[in-house]
Amino acid sequence: MPDIAADYQGIVDTAGKLSTQCNIIVPEIYDLMGTVGTLLDEGLYLEQASPALKTAYEEFSKSMQMAASGIQGWANLFTDIKTAFENNDAELFAVTLSAIDGEGGLELEPDEVTADKPPVPEWDDEHNLNGAPVTWNEDRTQITPG
């Protein structure tokens, strides 16, 4: 039988750190996207290339945001694992105490442990850069105006 151990505080710390970083990264992605959009509208405006660049950068930003959402997903996974261990521990404790009497006189129900988990952030279309539709080549190394 495998050995099982759970460092509850370590799990909480790791999940918290992941969640905190997600809350830092996602707003930064939107801020950077706005900065690039402003640059392509005002500081480096190219009539045909700017809309395509904005669209390409928005797609890049979406992939970065999905990666950041994955960080929150990992935080939630660790929280779920900790919760499952705690519930299993509570259930085993109740069963053990119930069995001590031998006649069922010490019946206990385990208290279920629940944990709040932050939602995984989804892409927010309100930050649309108004980029032009583009077409990617087959290996997605170049775009052309759509």
Side-chain angles (χ1 to χ4, degrees), residues 12-97:
V12 168
D13 292 346
T14 300
K17 185 179 279 190
L18 290 169
S19 187
T20 297
Q21 289 305 309
C22 182
N23 290 331
I24 292 169
I25 292 169
V26 170
E28 284 296 321
I29 290 169
Y30 290 126
D31 184 53
L32 290 171
M33 195 171 69
T35 301
V36 169
T38 300
L39 173 68
L40 294 174
D41 284 339
E42 299 168 8
L44 180 64
Y45 180 75
L46 305 164
E47 186 175 334
Q48 293 180 0
S50 288
L53 287 170
K54 286 169 68 173
T55 299
Y57 193 80
E58 182 176 357
E59 289 302 313
F60 168 73
S61 294
K62 282 182 185 178
S63 67
M64 293 298 293
Q65 195 273 339
M66 288 185 343
S69 296
I71 293 171
Q72 185 61 57
W74 278 100
N76 292 349
L77 174 70
F78 286 125
T79 300
D80 288 343
I81 289 169
K82 176 187 163 286
T83 299
F85 267 107
E86 287 176 331
N87 285 333
N88 189 42
D89 188 34
E91 186 175 322
L92 287 172
F93 177 70
V95 169
T96 302
L97 285 182

